[in-house]
């Protein structure tokens, strides 16, 4: 979603702003812009489309300056067009904004009455005019910005620049991520540390309600009322190289093939031990989990699907009741809280607005036993939980999540084993075998990845279809959901997933020769039932594409295409069965020529609700 980069330094910062925006491209956006203080006043450049278009404008204009703000916009209020692209300006000042100003209509009406003219449909433009209005009462940009902020409702990360303040950038945060980057050559701000690694690793994370004033050789942070606050400086350990594409054609492809390494890194701390240490989730894990009677998992998108798989594990292996909810539903629902619930939030980014709000909601209901499983150690979510587990998938750039999903699953399996152990349900020899199975996962996943040529061949046939139906049973039903999500996200083929037992209760009506049906068919207790469901599809002329295990005794026949996965992997087979579905979606999208890494209308990190 929207990204912010701001800089004030002792040199021309245009290249820093542009490189920062490029590093944020993966979040998804539809237009980009920047504003600079130049000797001739404020210069603003904006472009619809990619950062490369903005860069072309910048080089054509020869724009240069030592203070600037820049933005990638993902449209919420107003269509993607240059007029709506940030920065928005008012009276010699410029503003970029992430988030949503919820009371923008009332503010707009008031500001119009005061004589301010609006040139965009965005909620952000009210902020520019509000700061301009406050500057009539105080000459100080920092004070005026804070006064403007007190009138805002909603979520925001903001950066403000003024042409008469060539050595100053003001920033503020409430609900949307923002951090400062410090260096001897200048000071910076961004919505994501990866944008600033090019210039510094010295990071200060702002908290909600913080505002900051940056100059080239100083910074100060206050609360909105002006009270000074001190926030710790940390060193970012993000790898700058990890976001390079390398030999791959797309980030999604790279990330699918990185899964063996991502899993190995995530599980590295297991070492060669034959028993699992609860401390993996934090030093006080046993204390927090002691009286837990149930688990509530909240998440969005692909992370939600990981939670759905985990429910099968937690109930079957650890014997603990588990419910899983979409975060945007849970946060607004009247639910029945139980303080002995472990609330587990799952998130690749750790910045998903609904997941963060769902956690706050649970805490406000008195549920303080909280655990997050997250891929970004420096994210907002990680800072707000009693227990945490960091998946070590490395930066995930493709909008469609892949390696974050499988590493979340591995982490959730560890959680299941810890619960099982604490509840006396894990015999030592079973524990050792489970850990061995986890350690073997990277090898098992590598073998599944070798199926790519066959899946590529299948994808040619899918590319012409308008719809697809995914079927699975038990813990592989969420895998079918994930397969359908991947396909629709990046190929724009309408896809639905059903538990196979539900086939006769509706979706069978859709099945004909034009509807491919993809079945996730591991060799488990439900295989024979699933085979009967597949017969029902064949009887209606539906073409079947079956992902089965090597020992499932399924073979190709008329209208039935079978691809055998090399290993039968028991409870962990969900991790293997999702891989071919990721590859299928990727190759179908390639054939259809869609923008694999940045599918239309979607964003990587959904920082607004
Ligand atoms: C967006 C992304 C998805 C992701 C979801 C949840 O929709 O496009 O890939 O699964 O957000 O994101 P999170 O970072 O919380 O896992």
């Amino acid at each position: 979603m929207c990204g912010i980069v701001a800089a004030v330094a002792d040199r021309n910062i245009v290249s820093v702003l542009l490189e920062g925006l490029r590093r944020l491209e993966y979040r998804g956006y539809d237009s980009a812009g920047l504003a600079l203080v130049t000797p001739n006043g404020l210069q603003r450049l904006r472009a619809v489309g990619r950062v490369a278009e903005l860069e072309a404008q910048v080089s054509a204009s020869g724009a240069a300056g030592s203070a600037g703000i820049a933005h990638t916009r993902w449209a919420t209020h107003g269509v993607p067009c240059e007029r709506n692209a940030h920065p928005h300006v008012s009276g010699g000042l410029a503003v970029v904004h992430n988030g949503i100003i919820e009371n923008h209509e009332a503010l707009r009406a008031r500001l119009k009455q005061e004589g301010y003219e609006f040139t965009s449909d965005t909620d952000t433009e009210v902020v520019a005019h509000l700061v301009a209005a406050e500057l009539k009462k105080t000459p100080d940009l920092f004070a005026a910005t804070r006064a403007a902020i007190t009138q805002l409702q909603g979520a925001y990360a903001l950066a403000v620049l003024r042409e008469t303040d060539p050595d100053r950038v003001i920033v503020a945060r409430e609900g949307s991520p923002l951090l400062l980057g410090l260096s001897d050559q200048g000071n910076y701000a961004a919505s994501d540390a990866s944008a600033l690694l090019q210039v510094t690793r010295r990071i200060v994370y702002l908290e909600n309600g913080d505002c900051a004033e940056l100059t080239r050789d100083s910074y100060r942070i206050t609360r909105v009322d002006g009270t000074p606050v001190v926030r710790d400086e940390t060193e970012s350990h993000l790898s700058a190289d990890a976001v390079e594409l390398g030999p791959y054609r797309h980030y999604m492809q790279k990330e699918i093939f990185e899964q063996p390494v991502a899993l190995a890194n995530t599980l590295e701390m297991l070492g060669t031990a034959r028993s699992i240490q609860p401390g993996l989730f934090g030093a006080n894990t046993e204390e927090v989990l002691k009286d837990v009677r149930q688990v509530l998992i909240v998440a969005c998108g692909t992370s939600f699907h990981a939670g759905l798989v985990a429910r099968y594990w937690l109930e079957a292996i650890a014997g603990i009741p588990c419910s899983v909810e979409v975060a945007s539903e849970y946060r607004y629902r009247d639910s029945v809280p139980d303080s002995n619930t472990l609330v587990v939030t799952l998130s690749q980014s750790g910045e998903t607005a609904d997941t963060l709000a769902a956690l706050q909601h649970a805490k406000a209901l008195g549920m303080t036993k909280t655990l997050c499983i997250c891929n970004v150690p420096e994210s907002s979510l990680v800072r707000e939980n009693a227990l945490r587990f960091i998946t070590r998938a490395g930066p995930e750039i493709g909008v469609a999540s892949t390696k974050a999903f499988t590493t979340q699953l591995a982490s959730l399996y560890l959680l299941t084993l810890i619960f099982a152990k604490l509840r006396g349900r894990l015999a030592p020899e079973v524990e050792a075998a489970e850990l061995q199975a986890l350690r073997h996962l990277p090898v098992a996943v590598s073998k599944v990845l070798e199926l790519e040529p066959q899946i590529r061949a299948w994808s040619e046939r899918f590319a012409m279809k308008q719809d697809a139906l995914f079927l699975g049973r038990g813990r592989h039903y969420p895998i079918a959901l994930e397969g359908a999500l991947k396909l629709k996200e990046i190929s724009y083929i309408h896809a639905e997933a059903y538990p196979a037992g539900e086939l006769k209760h509706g979706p069978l009506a859709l099945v004909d020769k034009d509807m491919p049906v993809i079945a996730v068919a591991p060799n488990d207790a439900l295989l024979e039932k699933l085979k009967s469901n597949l017969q029902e599809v064949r009887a209606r002329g539906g073409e079947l594409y079956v992902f089965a295990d090597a020992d499932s005794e399924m073979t190709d026949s008329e209208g039935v295409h079978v691809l055998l996965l090399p290993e039968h992997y028991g409870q962990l087979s969900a991790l293997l069965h999702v891989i071919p579905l990721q590859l299928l979606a990727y190759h179908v999208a390639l054939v259809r020529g869609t923008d694999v890494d940045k599918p239309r209308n979607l964003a990587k990190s959904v920082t607004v609700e």
Side-chain angles (χ1 to χ4, degrees):
M1 281 199 150
C2 303
I4 289 178
V5 190
V8 48
D10 57 9
R11 61 192 166 109
N12 180 10
I13 44 71
V14 171
S15 61
V16 176
L17 296 179
L18 287 171
E19 178 59 18
L21 292 186
R22 267 193 295 273
R23 297 272 167 175
L24 297 179
E25 279 192 295
Y26 76 92
R27 296 163 65 101
Y29 69 104
D30 41 56
S31 54
L34 56 77
L36 303 164
V37 179
T38 74
N40 303 323
L42 202 66
Q43 182 168 9
R44 173 174 64 160
L45 295 166
R46 298 181 293 176
V48 175
R50 298 292 169 216
V51 172
E53 326 255 340
L54 179 68
E55 195 173 3
Q57 275 195 35
V58 169
S59 35
S61 70
S66 57
I69 56 177
H71 191 259
T72 45
R73 173 174 187 255
W74 187 83
T76 56
H77 293 69
V79 296
C81 64
E82 189 177 325
R83 192 169 54 81
N84 287 334
H86 300 211
H88 291 286
V89 296
S90 180
L93 67 86
V95 172
V96 293
H97 162 226
N98 289 357
I100 291 178
I101 308 296
E102 288 172 358
N103 58 336
H104 73 103
E105 280 173 358
L107 291 170
R108 179 182 276 254
R110 193 190 89 200
L111 287 158
K112 274 185 175 169
Q113 273 182 358
E114 290 173 21
Y116 289 95
E117 276 181 29
F118 282 79
T119 58
S120 78
D121 309 316
T122 66
D123 51 339
T124 305
E125 198 176 357
V126 299
V127 183
H129 293 317
L130 270 183
V131 178
E134 291 301 325
L135 278 168
K136 290 180 180 161
K137 302 176 205 160
T138 166
D140 177 30
L141 185 61
F142 195 24
T145 305
R146 293 200 312 271
I149 282 170
T150 59
Q151 301 164 59
L152 302 180
Q153 289 163 15
Y156 52 79
L158 293 167
V160 184
L161 183 75
R162 182 166 65 160
E163 64 185 4
T164 51
D165 258 323
D167 182 32
R168 197 176 312 273
V169 171
I170 308 298
V171 297
R173 160 185 189 172
E174 177 65 53
S176 293
L178 198 70
L179 49 92
L180 310 183
L182 313 176
S183 87
D184 294 340
Q185 287 74 43
N187 290 312
Y188 308 87
S191 46
D192 186 329
S194 59
L196 299 183
L197 294 181
Q198 49 163 332
V199 280
T200 186
R201 289 189 169 273
R202 292 171 52 204
I203 302 294
V204 174
Y205 288 93
L206 295 183
E207 295 189 4
N208 284 337
D210 282 354
C211 308
E213 177 183 53
L214 305 177
T215 70
R216 71 190 63 181
D217 53 13
S218 71
Y219 76 96
R220 65 184 173 115
I221 306 173
T222 73
R223 303 297 288 163
V224 180
D225 64 6
T227 314
V229 281
V230 176
R231 304 287 175 222
D232 292 342
E233 182 183 321
T234 57
E235 190 182 338
S236 173
H237 297 293
L238 283 178
S239 159
D241 295 342
V243 289
E244 301 295 346
L245 193 50
Y248 294 95
R249 198 165 155 194
H250 294 100
Y251 282 107
M252 183 180 179
Q253 182 192 27
K254 175 180 185 238
E255 288 154 9
I256 290 173
F257 280 88
E258 276 175 350
Q259 288 178 106
V261 175
L263 284 163
N265 288 343
T266 300
L267 297 169
E268 193 184 7
M269 65 279 279
L270 292 179
T272 53
R274 291 175 58 81
S275 71
I276 188 163
Q277 302 306 321
L280 291 177
F281 287 79
N284 52 342
T285 305
E286 282 190 67
E287 181 58 31
V288 175
L289 298 190
K290 199 169 53 172
D291 300 319
V292 165
R293 282 200 295 254
Q294 58 183 343
V295 175
L296 167 64
I297 301 178
V298 283
C300 302
T302 290
S303 296
F304 170 67
H305 293 160
L308 290 177
V309 176
R311 179 162 70 109
Y312 287 89
W313 290 336
L314 284 161
E315 298 211 342
I317 300 170
I320 189 158
C322 175
S323 52
V324 189
E325 284 209 42
V326 166
S328 55
E329 287 294 313
Y330 173 69
R331 64 182 284 195
Y332 289 117
R333 188 168 77 77
D334 290 328
S335 52
V336 183
D338 176 344
S339 59
N340 286 322
T341 302
L342 178 71
V343 180
V344 180
T345 40
L346 304 177
S347 176
Q348 186 287 126
S349 62
E351 301 295 352
T352 302
D354 281 320
T355 306
L356 285 165
L359 173 64
Q360 299 307 345
H361 178 68
K363 285 194 203 168
L365 292 174
M367 295 194 278
T368 53
K369 295 175 186 290
T370 58
L371 159 70
C372 72
I373 294 178
C374 185
N375 194 40
V376 182
E378 293 143 341
S379 63
S380 305
L381 190 65
V382 171
R383 296 198 293 273
E384 291 179 17
N385 277 273
L387 301 177
R388 58 195 62 91
F389 186 89
I390 305 298
T391 50
R392 299 217 215 139
E396 193 181 64
I397 308 294
V399 164
S401 182
T402 52
K403 61 178 181 172
F405 179 71
T406 41
T407 53
Q408 280 171 347
L409 287 180
S411 318
L412 287 160
Y413 202 71
L414 284 176
L415 178 67
T416 303
L417 296 182
I418 288 171
F419 262 121
K421 187 168 177 170
L422 294 176
R423 295 164 74 88
R425 292 175 62 112
L426 197 63
E429 60 283 5
V430 177
E431 183 176 357
E434 292 284 8
L435 293 180
Q436 188 48 33
L438 275 167
R439 277 192 282 264
H440 182 62
L441 266 177
V443 176
V445 168
S446 302
K447 288 193 197 152
V448 182
L449 286 166
E450 289 170 13
L451 296 175
E452 190 186 28
Q454 288 106 296
I455 295 168
R456 193 187 299 130
W458 279 12
S459 65
E460 301 279 342
R461 293 185 232 160
F462 273 81
M464 311 310 291
K465 303 289 182 187
Q466 300 303 319
D467 308 274
L469 184 61
F470 287 70
L471 300 176
R473 294 193 75 126
R475 60 184 178 270
H476 297 90
Y477 164 52
I479 296 304
L481 283 169
E482 177 59 10
L485 177 63
K486 289 284 89 80
L487 190 70
K488 71 184 120 181
E489 274 180 313
I490 61 166
S491 76
Y492 315 148
I493 291 175
H494 165 237
E496 286 192 61
Y498 267 88
E502 276 289 290
L503 194 61
K504 287 195 276 294
H505 300 287
L508 202 51
L510 297 171
V511 172
D512 62 13
K513 64 179 180 19
D514 295 323
M515 169 76 91
V517 178
I518 300 103
V520 185
N523 188 8
D524 63 13
L526 292 171
L527 181 63
E528 290 312 315
K529 293 194 184 300
L530 182 71
K531 283 181 181 172
S532 309
N533 301 140
L534 301 186
Q535 288 308 322
E536 291 159 9
V537 171
R538 266 317 287 150
R540 273 87 192 167
E543 191 139 1
L544 277 163
Y545 294 85
V546 185
F547 293 99
D549 288 341
D551 54 1
S552 66
E553 294 176 7
M554 296 183 83
T555 49
D556 279 359
S557 57
E558 168 91 36
V560 183
H561 314 278
V562 180
L563 219 156
L564 295 176
L565 270 67
E567 286 187 65
H568 169 209
Y569 220 78
Q571 288 283 354
L572 284 164
S573 70
L575 267 115
L576 303 192
H577 272 273
V578 75
I579 309 281
L581 303 186
Q582 297 169 344
L583 285 168
L584 182 70
Y586 175 69
H587 284 289
V588 172
L590 273 193
V591 178
R592 287 170 71 100
T594 53
D595 190 344
V596 173
D597 286 332
K598 302 187 195 82
R600 68 184 180 202
N601 308 338
L602 299 182
K604 180 68 185 162
S605 190
V606 181
T607 49
V608 294
E609 68 169 290

